[in-house]
């Protein structure tokens, strides 16, 4: 049985995916106290704290490092400060542990913008540093909309294999083929939600009627609130949710706004779990902390599909 560690583990998206594949988690780490509490509720294990304070020798031997390392310094909605931001520098903690333990595989996830921030210097540095400690890196941008998840969520998946694991007669990794499953946001919405979710304003502008809309595997914009800024755009349930976010403002902050039978509204926590592919029983914090945890999470099914494409372990 392969053993993995779960760094920057959040609410455990990597762990859900890999334990379902028969792998064993032997260590987890997370700095956010609310996410640590949720992780413990789901896995009966309190993650260790700040990874910067944990010596590599104190981490159990493992075959795989998983990490959705902090993305705020690379995100297009942030300042895009890259490695000059301490959150970007946390990638070097992954390197430190990988150099000490020499696992077979590093399976990582981050925002698409990491490929272009600082004119591409960040991704070039990541590839160079991994090469120095003995790993070949492949990166692929995948959008969950094309893999049976009704959310447009483009993420970069990093597959870094130890060089001696590769053979010359077959590919080490093949990215998953798109499935294009016809699932839409309306399939996952609750029929009724509390009235506090319903937007009551006189500056709501609907620009498309339901009769004008065809089902699509993408968000379908049908209106706006106020001036249509961030968090002020309205989408149809006949399409997909926009990217769930940990941050951002506006009346539709973190989930977007949707034209439902009850009215214009945000998504509930339970609906956000569904559009992230987490099971109903999965625990997250209430209120803003729960939305933030889901916005920061990795989609378990996407991790599964990427892992299944690795041919040498």
């Amino acid at each position: 049985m392969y053993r993995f560690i779960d760094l920057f583990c959040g609410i455990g998206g990597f762990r859900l995916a890999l334990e379902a594949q028969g792998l064993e988690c032997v260590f987890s780490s997370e700095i956010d106290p609310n996410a640590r509490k949720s992780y413990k509720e789901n896995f009966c294990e309190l993650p260790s704290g700040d990874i910067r304070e944990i010596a590599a020798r104190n981490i159990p031997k493992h075959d795989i490092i998983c990490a959705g390392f902090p993305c705020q310094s690379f995100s297009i909605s942030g300042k895009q400060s890259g490695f000059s931001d301490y959150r970007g520098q946390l990638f070097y903690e992954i390197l430190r542990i990988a150099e000490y333990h020499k696992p077979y595989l590093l399976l990582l996830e981050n925002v698409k913008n990491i490929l272009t921030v600082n004119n591409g210097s960040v991704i070039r540095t990541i590839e160079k540093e991994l090469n120095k400690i003995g790993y070949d890196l492949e990166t692929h941008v995948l959008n969950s909309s094309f893999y049976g998840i009704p959310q447009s969520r483009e993420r970069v998946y990093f597959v870094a294999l130890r060089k001696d694991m590769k053979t010359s007669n077959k590919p080490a990794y093949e990215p998953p083929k798109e499935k294009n499953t016809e699932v839409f946001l309306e399939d996952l919405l609750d029929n009724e939600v509390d009235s506090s979710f319903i937007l009551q304003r006189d500056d709501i502008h609907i620009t498309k009627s339901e009769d004008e809309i065809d089902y699509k595997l993408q968000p379908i914009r049908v209106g706006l609130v106020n001036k249509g800024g961030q968090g002020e755009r309205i989408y149809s349930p006949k399409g997909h949710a926009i990217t769930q976010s940990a941050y951002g403002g506006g009346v539709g902050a973190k989930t977007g706004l949707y034209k439902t039978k009850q009215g214009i509204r945000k998504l509930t926590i339970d609906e956000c779990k569904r559009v992230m592919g987490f099971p109903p029983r999965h625990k997250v914090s209430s209120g803003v902390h729960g939305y933030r945890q889901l916005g920061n999470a990795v989609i378990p099914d996407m991790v599964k599909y990427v892992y299944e494409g690795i041919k040498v372990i």
Side-chain angles (χ1 to χ4, degrees):
M1 178 187 295
Y2 288 118
R3 293 151 54 98
F4 68 95
I5 63 172
D6 197 5
L7 305 183
F8 315 107
C9 61
I11 57 172
F14 273 108
R15 184 163 181 166
L16 273 181
L18 295 188
E19 285 190 338
Q21 299 296 306
L23 282 69
E24 178 188 6
C25 184
V26 295
F27 175 83
S28 59
S29 173
E30 171 58 51
I31 196 171
D32 180 81
N34 293 298
R36 294 177 77 217
K37 180 180 177 182
S38 294
Y39 194 96
K40 183 179 180 181
E41 289 177 339
N42 288 299
F43 302 106
C44 301
E45 170 192 316
L46 184 67
S48 298
D50 191 342
I51 195 62
R52 296 171 296 181
E53 299 176 359
I54 301 170
R57 66 178 178 274
N58 293 332
I59 296 174
K61 181 178 173 57
H62 52 275
D63 306 299
I64 300 169
I65 293 178
C66 294
F69 58 108
C71 66
Q72 292 93 329
S73 63
F74 308 117
S75 173
I76 197 167
S77 62
K79 295 182 179 179
Q80 303 182 48
S81 48
F83 285 136
S84 64
D85 186 318
Y86 84 92
R87 293 167 296 187
Q89 295 165 11
L90 290 171
F91 173 75
Y92 288 96
E93 299 301 315
I94 301 172
L95 281 175
R96 171 177 66 89
I97 295 164
E99 186 171 22
Y100 182 90
H101 282 281
K102 301 293 184 186
Y104 301 145
L105 166 69
L106 281 66
L107 183 54
L108 316 175
E109 185 250 31
N110 212 290
V111 293
K112 182 177 73 168
N113 203 51
I114 197 172
L115 299 178
T116 54
V117 70
N118 294 346
N119 295 314
S121 66
V122 168
I123 191 62
R124 288 193 296 271
T125 298
I126 288 174
E127 186 169 15
K128 180 181 73 174
E129 294 298 323
L130 285 169
N131 183 65
K132 280 166 57 176
I133 65 169
Y135 291 86
D136 286 329
L137 175 66
E138 293 195 44
T139 61
H140 294 279
V141 178
L142 303 176
N143 188 337
S144 56
S145 277
F146 306 125
Y147 295 90
I149 301 291
Q151 177 192 172
S152 177
R153 191 177 187 87
E154 288 186 299
R155 289 295 184 264
V156 183
Y157 295 87
F158 300 74
V159 175
L161 283 161
R162 210 173 68 193
K163 292 181 180 181
D164 63 351
M165 296 294 295
K166 289 190 169 185
T167 60
S168 58
N169 60 352
K170 65 178 181 179
Y173 168 66
E174 293 180 354
K177 292 181 171 60
E178 293 180 354
K179 300 179 182 300
N180 294 314
T181 307
E182 290 197 348
V183 58
F184 305 99
L185 182 60
E186 70 177 19
D187 299 324
L188 303 185
L189 292 181
D190 291 327
N191 291 326
E192 291 189 22
V193 300
D194 188 85
S195 61
S196 62
F197 284 92
I198 310 302
L199 199 61
Q200 302 288 351
R201 292 173 57 143
D202 57 9
D203 59 352
I204 295 173
H205 307 285
I206 300 300
T207 57
K208 287 185 180 179
S209 70
E210 289 297 305
D211 293 339
E212 298 177 82
I213 301 168
D214 294 323
Y215 287 93
K216 293 181 180 178
L217 301 181
Q218 65 185 59
I220 305 170
R221 187 171 169 179
V222 296
L224 54 87
V225 178
N226 191 24
K227 296 180 180 179
Q230 186 180 30
E232 296 180 335
R233 296 150 200 164
I234 302 168
Y235 299 88
S236 169
K238 288 183 176 180
H240 283 186
I242 62 169
T243 302
Q244 305 298 281
S245 172
Y247 300 96
V251 290
K254 301 178 178 61
T255 80
L257 294 170
Y258 302 91
K259 185 176 181 290
T260 72
K261 294 178 181 178
Q262 273 189 280
I264 309 303
R265 66 175 179 86
K266 290 177 58 172
L267 302 181
T268 67
I269 289 281
D270 285 344
E271 289 168 333
C272 287
K273 285 197 287 186
R274 292 178 205 135
V275 300
M276 288 293 295
F278 282 87
R281 68 181 183 280
H282 204 81
K283 301 289 196 303
V284 300
S285 297
S286 60
V288 66
H289 293 297
Y291 284 112
R292 185 170 296 166
Q293 288 164 16
L294 288 160
N296 275 330
V298 297
I299 293 179
D301 278 352
M302 295 304 297
V303 174
K304 179 187 77 169
Y305 296 140
V306 172
Y307 180 75
E308 289 173 344
I310 299 166
K311 307 299 183 184
V312 294
I313 63 172

